[in-house]
Amino acid sequence: MTSSSALPDPFYCGCETEPEPGKLVSVDVALRQGLALAEPVAGVERLPLDQAHGRVLAEAVRAQSPLPLFDNSAMDGYAIRLADLVGTGPWRLPVSGRVAAGDAGSEPLPAGTALRIFTGAPVPPGCDAVVMQEATRPEGNMIRLDRRPAPGESIRHAGEDLAAGTEIVPAGRCIGPRAAALLASAGCGEVAVRRRIRVAFFSTGSELCAPGTPLAPGQIWNSNRYHLQGSLDLPWVEAIDMGAIPDQPDRLREALEQASRKADLVVTTGGISVGDEDHMPAVLRAAGGVIHVMKVAMKPGKPLIIGRIGAALYLGLPGNPVSAFVTWHVIGARIAEALAGLTDGAPRRIIVRAGFDRVRSPGRCEFLPARLGSYDGHGTRAVEIATSEVSHRVALLAQADGLLLIPSETDRIQRGDMLEFLPFHEG
């Protein structure tokens, strides 16, 4: 067996050599070519922060002021001057007042006294330490201290988190809960975000029928439409669902041309192989489109088209539901993220330990739906696959935790081998 190694984002299988004419394109090359075509959309809009969740920042955001804005107390306690603690202690100081979060706190601390202070409250001028209340003992209107605090103890100093002018969130970041909290903490009430990318999609096939309707002989329910609906249900995507189109070249071309006028990315499922009813390659060319990638050395998902029609990118996915899902997850989603200007969207990969033995034919990078098992003594999780042949097993895909990556050169997997795993992250 040839073991897998750490692979640079955004590539997967490590096979970066350009193929010979007529040979399959590696996953690495296909993805690289697709990303090279995917220029981020240019449109920008400014939104209030509370309307920008999930959108992609068009420009970096910098702190307009230091964070924190002022010296403040890290806990409930007493603000003191260390110079007032004369001798070896214990020390007793009268409590001269109180300050809470939200108070102005501009009055200096009277000499020889302590000030009752609460978490987040501004530290008064002259104070150089805060003693937490658990380290003091009340004695009437005084407090007793048995330990001398360190200089600056329990004080959060202005600017120690962020200095003014510091880049706090880079361009290309998706504004999730953590980024939104940081932006709000820095007082950012409005952000510049890229416009949503427009993705038009339709399924091809005269056999397709909508779920919930009776099937005539030879028909199947269309699952790819719903997979893409869910995958494109993102704040930075405007999805254009064009339904299912029968295997009629004129209607397919009409739909493709209409989609290309509306969208930045056109995605279709089915009709891209070599059968008599696989019309999409010819339809794309007849509509003035160009094909950059035709077939990829991956399993499942060898039939895959990456191209362009007019100003839109075109992605032709296989009609097989598992193949369509895998090719979208591995390649299509990355292209969409690049169009959106998203820089932090590459899927997280983890190292797992094979819980099975398997012999395979090398030559194609394989992505197997798999389930994660328990952790071993080294903190690595085991992974299991349900079967060696999964290209048609939609039920297994739904039960999986992610995709197990088998490099193209691998001919044997033994129990305990280390592999890479792409977890699913679905709401």
Side-chain angles (χ1 to χ4, degrees), residues 130 168 185-186 237 245 250 293 296 317 331 348-349 370 390 396:
V130 170
I168 55 176
S185 297
V237 173
I245 310 296
D250 289 345
V293 173
V296 181
L317 305 179
I331 293 178
R348 181 173 62 92
R349 286 174 280 169
V390 296
L396 296 179

Side-chain angles (χ1 to χ4, degrees), residues 14-20 24-26 28-29 32:
C15 304
E16 299 189 38
T17 304
E18 295 292 338
E20 299 175 11
L24 300 180
V25 175
S26 73
D28 294 18
V29 170
R32 186 164 64 241

Side-chain angles (χ1 to χ4, degrees), residues 12-66:
Y12 292 90
C13 67
C15 304
E16 299 189 38
T17 304
E18 295 292 338
E20 299 175 11
K23 296 298 182 77
L24 300 180
V25 175
S26 73
V27 176
D28 294 18
V29 170
L31 183 55
R32 186 164 64 241
Q33 291 188 14
L35 294 177
L37 295 170
E39 289 291 330
V41 295
V44 175
E45 57 182 320
R46 301 197 69 86
L47 292 177
L49 182 58
D50 62 359
Q51 297 178 24
H53 178 74
R55 299 295 295 274
V56 179
L57 274 176
E59 56 191 45
V61 179
R62 297 183 178 275
Q64 300 300 306
S65 56

Side-chain angles (χ1 to χ4, degrees), residues 83-318:
D84 293 332
L85 304 183
V86 179
T88 58
W91 304 272
R92 292 174 176 82
L93 296 172
V95 179
S96 60
R98 70 191 299 275
V99 60
D103 291 345
S106 60
E107 294 297 323
L109 178 67
T113 71
L115 184 73
R116 182 74 166 113
I117 195 168
F118 297 91
T119 303
V123 173
C127 165
D128 51 12
V130 170
V131 184
M132 63 179 182
Q133 63 186 27
E134 293 87 349
T136 65
R137 185 181 304 174
E139 294 183 354
N141 193 38
M142 305 184 75
I143 58 166
R144 170 178 164 170
L145 284 71
D146 295 319
R147 178 186 65 83
R148 180 185 293 272
E153 184 171 313
S154 298
I155 294 177
R156 296 184 292 215
H157 293 284
E160 73 174 34
D161 192 2
L162 289 173
T166 302
E167 182 180 296
I168 55 176
V169 186
R173 175 72 60 83
C174 189
I175 304 174
R178 290 175 295 158
L182 177 56
L183 291 167
S185 297
C188 182
E190 186 180 78
V191 290
V193 298
R194 291 192 184 271
R195 70 161 174 84
R196 292 181 173 92
I197 64 167
R198 293 183 285 269
V199 182
F201 65 98
F202 60 88
S203 306
T204 74
S206 300
E207 76 281 12
L208 299 177
C209 188
T213 60
L215 292 178
Q219 289 186 319
I220 62 172
W221 286 303
N222 182 4
S223 63
N224 286 331
R225 179 182 184 186
Y226 298 89
H227 149 233
L228 286 172
Q229 281 181 344
S231 297
L232 296 170
D233 186 15
L234 298 165
W236 46 269
V237 173
E238 177 187 342
I240 305 169
D241 183 355
M242 300 180 65
I245 310 296
D247 291 318
Q248 300 171 17
D250 289 345
R251 293 189 60 179
L252 291 169
R253 178 174 175 175
E254 179 184 359
L256 183 61
E257 291 176 340
Q258 180 183 1
S260 69
R261 291 191 293 267
K262 294 180 177 180
D264 307 295
L265 174 63
V266 179
V267 183
T268 66
T269 58
I272 60 169
S273 192
V274 294
D276 291 343
E277 295 299 320
D278 291 313
H279 301 296
M280 289 309 300
V283 165
L284 177 62
R285 292 187 179 101
V290 177
I291 294 176
H292 292 269
V293 173
M294 184 70 176
K295 294 180 180 179
V296 181
M298 66 184 296
K299 183 180 180 181
K302 181 174 71 172
L304 175 70
I305 295 177
I306 300 173
R308 182 177 289 282
I309 174 169
L313 291 186
Y314 172 73
L315 182 66
L317 305 179

